[in-house]
Amino acid sequence: MYQGGYTGKILRINLTDQSITKEDLPQKTAKDYIGGAGFCIKYLFDEVKKGEDPLGPGNKLIFAPGPFTGTKIPCASRMAVGAKSPLTNTIGVALTGGYFPVELKYAGYDAVIIEGKAEKPTYIQIKDSKVQLRSAVDLWGMKTSDCQQVIKNKLNDQSVRIACIGPAGENLSKMASIINEMRAAGRRGLGAVMGSKNLKAIAIKGTGTIAVSSAEKFKPAVAAMKGAMKDSPTLYPFFSKTGTSGGVDMFCSLGIFAAKNYSATGEFEPVAEIGLKAQSSRRAGRAHCSGCPVGCTHLKRVKTGAHAGTIAEGPEFETLYSFGGMTGVEDIDSVIAADRLADEYGLDTISAGVTIAFAMELYEKGILNSDDTGGMELNFGNHIAMLELLRLMSFREGIGDLLADGTKAAAEKIGKGSEKYAMHVKGLELPAYDPRGSKAQGVNYATAYCGADHNRGYAIQEIFGHSIPFSVNRFDIKRKGELTAFNQDMRTAIGDCTTFCIFVFDMALAESAFQIIGNLLSALTGFEYTQDDFMKVGERINNIARAFNVREGFTRAQDTLPNRLLTEPLKAGASKGHALSKNDLDEMLDEYYTKRGWDLNTGNPKREKLVELGLEYVADIILK
Ligand code: SF4
């Protein structure tokens, strides 16, 4: 029996035989993995067989909020979505916020596991304990906002919360996202996994509440969290007012805002064109995740051009990077329009923008020509071509079919040396922070369990100057392997598992997170967590995720960065002259594996490390 934080139930839906079952969440799983990403990774390792086709019925799609979700803890309305990723073939987890995760928890579930494949397009309706499979034949082909509205109308309930896919997911684009309201579980193509199951949407309504183990301890713990947020010099005074979109100005000033497919970082710095000032004349309101007093989501309205009047929730910083910096597009209205289109089609904005930038560079280098593009001039900066490519990729039309599965797959098909312009790690397109001027970001891109994902081990020490666990110089390679292992474990446990918002963590809590989050978690659940316990949970999860990838054949050889980053120094800007050689990366990786207790040659976790983390059964499977 759980004292608080958990409902204690897992909902399992098999779309092949239409069975719906509810099972108990083992207490040991809750204590050892906390929730969210931890649950996704544990269940995926245990239940998805080696070599399973990510787009086959044997893959599983898991939606898992955390113990904080739906409680009075602010900024904790998030959930993780997990599956074997079709984009990377690694374990795949994406985090999202909004209102859907809270509703899922109120409906009574710590996770929903979806298996098999429906015969026809289907959506799932969950109303507390009542779960029904309904036809989505008439919804198939709809954009995400239409799909959500039509389901609300059908159910005669405008308050139901919906997660769905758009045409990109239906057409199995390996960059497809899952959208709830305009929030996205964006990365790693989990929308294609949903599409492969003929699952268009999940509609949820819950009326339950979340118990608290000790109300006496919980109240002051929530107050301490709110106090830390209030005391932050950046959270309300800056971040709340700008959201992540202030990042263009900040990261250009550091010389690490990647541009034109990573060929012009520091040279092309479009602050005046797409930075804060340019965005300010497009403001159209604010949005909040459930229970969040920060409200970092700023809506923008397109002012000019074919999409005038369109409103987007964002663009967030990474979207400004992918549709602005990477493509060389200087037109803010086109970046806002691209953001909205990507959400409507259900495409990950980072992977989509980086893939378009890749195609633009190939076109400029003559590797692609106008016969390939259907007559489109695909030079950097062509905002009309960018918007058209989003449609083509989503519907797999023309060159869009070639690009719909991301840069790695496209380069394999195109050949002609195009791989050296494909900016990905393990198939996942790179985020905005150029690691030549921020070395720990590079180690994280190379080693994160799901490809180049900034959020899995974001080096707050390099960017915000935090000193936990120690201060660093962003240009230096010293102690960056050790730092990356720490960041990955800390973020996994504190953010991805409790599902506390990592933006608020970065701005307000980093230095005091273990104490504040630990007090909250123990008051809520009755489980005690020290700083060491948290780090062990994070370490356990990063090890089991690594083990999943080892079982799929991944080794140290795939823990690398695109060749361009390892051979070309930065040519301009505040990080001019800084480089990241293969030797630098190898040195940092050696330190990373040593810190992790992994084999230096293979990158495999060693048996003794897995046993120490309570993962003997994992060692028996991957090291036999
Ligand atoms: S800070 Fe932003 S992303 Fe985080 S919970 Fe609040 S609105 Fe959501």
Side-chain angles (χ1 to χ4, degrees), residues 151-184:
I151 291 177
K152 286 179 181 188
N153 294 348
K154 270 174 187 276
L155 300 178
N156 200 18
D157 184 351
Q158 298 302 310
S159 66
V160 70
R161 301 294 178 179
I162 296 160
C164 69
I165 56 169
E170 295 171 10
N171 294 314
L172 308 184
S173 160
K174 293 181 181 175
M175 302 185 289
S177 58
I178 299 169
I179 300 287
N180 52 301
E181 283 100 40
M182 281 293 148
R183 301 268 156 183

Side-chain angles (χ1 to χ4, degrees), residues 75 77-78 183 239 287-289 292 294-297 501 503-504:
C75 312
S77 58
R78 299 173 68 76
R183 301 268 156 183
F239 183 71
H288 300 238
C289 293
C292 175
V294 178
C296 76
T297 306
C501 176
F503 297 145
V504 180

Side-chain angles (χ1 to χ4, degrees), residues 305-606:
H307 295 271
T310 296
I311 292 178
E313 264 198 24
E316 301 291 345
F317 166 64
E318 286 291 338
T319 303
L320 289 156
Y321 143 78
S322 62
F323 290 138
M326 283 295 266
T327 60
V329 166
E330 297 171 282
D331 175 39
I332 186 66
D333 285 326
S334 294
V335 176
I336 299 168
D339 184 22
R340 177 63 190 261
L341 281 178
D343 284 353
E344 289 287 5
Y345 293 138
L347 271 179
D348 174 35
T349 59
I350 299 179
S351 283
V354 175
T355 302
I356 292 168
F358 162 72
M360 286 173 164
E361 183 160 14
L362 296 190
Y363 185 83
E364 294 211 340
K365 294 220 156 24
I367 296 173
L368 290 176
N369 58 39
S370 58
D371 289 341
D372 301 307
T373 65
M376 229 183 326
E377 286 185 15
L378 210 49
N379 302 85
F380 282 122
N382 186 339
H383 56 103
I384 293 172
M386 173 177 78
L387 295 173
E388 176 62 359
L389 273 178
L390 288 173
R391 189 184 70 78
L392 295 176
M393 292 193 295
S394 301
F395 290 92
R396 289 190 174 275
E397 289 176 17
I399 192 173
D401 188 35
L402 178 68
L403 302 175
D405 295 328
T407 53
K408 180 170 182 280
E412 283 164 7
K413 285 186 196 151
I414 295 164
K416 302 179 195 169
S418 57
E419 170 62 24
K420 72 177 178 218
Y421 306 110
M423 303 308 293
H424 70 85
V425 174
K426 302 183 180 79
L428 187 70
E429 285 70 25
L430 257 61
Y433 310 86
D434 196 314
R436 289 170 288 191
S438 179
K439 302 293 195 302
Q441 310 292 356
V443 190
N444 176 55
Y445 293 171
T447 58
Y449 58 75
C450 43
D453 186 326
H454 56 299
N455 278 327
R456 301 287 75 76
Y458 191 77
I460 48 177
Q461 303 80 359
E462 288 185 339
I463 302 298
F464 301 118
H466 289 306
S467 58
I468 174 171
F470 45 80
S471 304
V472 294
N473 174 337
R474 70 186 167 101
F475 298 119
D476 211 333
I477 65 167
K478 277 196 212 99
R479 299 189 77 185
K480 295 300 173 69
E482 180 188 353
L483 184 74
T484 301
F486 175 87
N487 283 337
Q488 290 175 347
D489 292 346
M490 176 177 68
R491 283 181 100 75
T492 297
I494 299 267
D496 300 352
C497 293
T498 65
T499 65
F500 181 69
C501 176
I502 48 162
F503 297 145
V504 180
F505 168 79
D506 291 343
M507 299 289 153
L509 286 194
E511 310 286 346
S512 53
F514 291 111
Q515 197 193 347
I516 289 180
I517 301 275
N519 287 345
L520 279 168
L521 201 54
S522 70
L524 176 66
T525 65
F527 297 145
E528 295 290 334
Y529 290 91
T530 63
Q531 174 166 341
D532 284 352
D533 295 334
F534 270 124
M535 291 306 285
K536 271 277 178 273
V537 170
E539 193 181 8
R540 181 177 299 113
I541 293 166
N542 277 289
N543 271 267
I544 196 169
R546 181 76 176 192
F548 183 102
N549 295 344
V550 167
R551 189 170 61 180
E552 293 297 322
F554 286 86
T555 68
R556 176 173 177 151
Q558 285 85 38
D559 290 348
T560 188
L561 292 169
N563 193 50
R564 163 169 278 158
L565 300 185
L566 300 176
T567 53
E568 299 173 15
L570 290 169
K571 290 177 273 196
S575 299
K576 183 179 174 183
H578 288 280
L580 175 54
S581 69
K582 176 88 174 64
N583 284 344
D584 288 343
L585 180 62
D586 276 337
E587 203 176 307
M588 293 190 286
L589 285 176
D590 282 349
E591 185 188 276
Y592 173 85
Y593 300 131
T594 304
K595 178 74 191 162
R596 281 229 171 276
W598 294 354
D599 183 88
L600 277 184
N601 294 317
T602 62
N604 290 356
K606 291 182 185 165

